[in-house]
Structures are given as structure tokens and as C-alpha cells.
Amino acid sequence: MVRGIDHIELIVRDVDEFIAFFEKMGFKVLTRTSHHGSSAELQLPGENQPIFEIHQVGGEENVGVNHIAFKVDNAQETYAELQAKGVKNMRTPNYVPATGRTTVNLRDPDGFRMQLVDAKRNAPA
């Protein structure tokens, strides 16, 4: 089941500009990948701080909050549990090589995008 907020994803025009902005506020860069073209994960110091994942706007995306991701012990198992409870509007679990984790994208009752993600972070493939 859900253990906490894993990350909040922001879609931005300029990833480097946002990294510099967040670093000035005390955030530490955890990773930079080519996920979504250009992507970075940043976190404030201290225990249990949520991560901000930022990526370059592309395609039909809009700048702003893309989704909130909740950490779970196992995304595949949580998907099955929620499906059994009648939760709708979920996509099947998807392993993302660029992040090394399995995710489940879903929509809340008002249509806002949310995500379930494995709590264990593996090195990107």
C-alpha cells in the first residue's frame, strides 16, 4: 500500500535553469538522466523529503505539475490490490529503464494524474 510521497514531477521549459533555481534554495541534485529528453531529480536535505523530478516540456505537454507519485513497496502488487478493490483508470505496471523502477499511472476521480512507484530506487539502465 502507499507509504508516502515519492516525488512530484514538474514539466519545465529549461531544466538547467530550474536546477540552478532549486540549488539556490538548498536542494541537492540526485540524478540527471535523458528520461523525457532531459530530466533531473532534486531533494532537500533531511530524512523523508519528497523529491522533485523535473523534465523538459515536449510534445503536447504543458508546463506545470505533471503528477504526484506515491511510493509503494511493490507497484505490481499494489496495482493488483487496487484493481481488486475496484479502482479504475489505472494503466498496467510499466518498468522504466531510465529510472530503474516500475510505475503505475492512474487518474483520481477528477482526472488528475497520479503515479505509484516502487520505493526501491535502482540505478538507471
Side-chain angles (χ1 to χ4, degrees):
M1 202 43 68
V2 173
R3 301 287 177 222
I5 293 176
D6 183 81
H7 68 271
I8 299 167
E9 184 176 273
L10 304 175
I11 300 173
V12 302
R13 282 187 263 283
D14 185 328
V15 170
D16 292 329
E17 183 178 32
F18 267 78
I19 288 172
F21 172 75
F22 276 114
E23 285 180 322
K24 289 174 185 171
M25 294 195 314
F27 283 74
K28 176 184 172 190
V29 176
L30 301 176
T31 62
R32 287 206 64 165
T33 70
S34 60
H35 187 53
H36 294 293
S38 179
S39 179
E41 291 184 336
L42 300 105
Q43 185 177 39
L44 284 169
E47 290 193 34
N48 299 317
Q49 294 286 356
I51 292 169
F52 280 81
E53 178 183 348
I54 58 174
H55 81 259
Q56 191 82 31
V57 66
E60 296 180 17
E61 295 176 322
N62 294 310
V63 170
V65 176
N66 185 19
H67 66 266
I68 298 172
F70 298 98
K71 69 176 89 170
V72 297
D73 293 332
N74 183 299
Q76 183 78 41
E77 290 175 8
T78 303
Y79 170 81
E81 291 169 8
L82 293 176
Q83 196 173 37
K85 291 180 180 179
V87 174
K88 298 183 186 328
N89 299 320
M90 290 191 300
R91 290 191 176 171
T92 56
N94 177 46
Y95 178 72
V96 181
T99 64
R101 300 196 292 171
T102 297
T103 65
V104 175
N105 290 317
L106 65 147
R107 300 275 177 177
D108 70 16
D110 283 338
F112 185 79
R113 185 171 172 229
M114 297 183 156
Q115 188 176 80
L116 307 173
V117 62
D118 288 335
K120 183 178 179 192
R121 291 178 168 271
N122 297 312

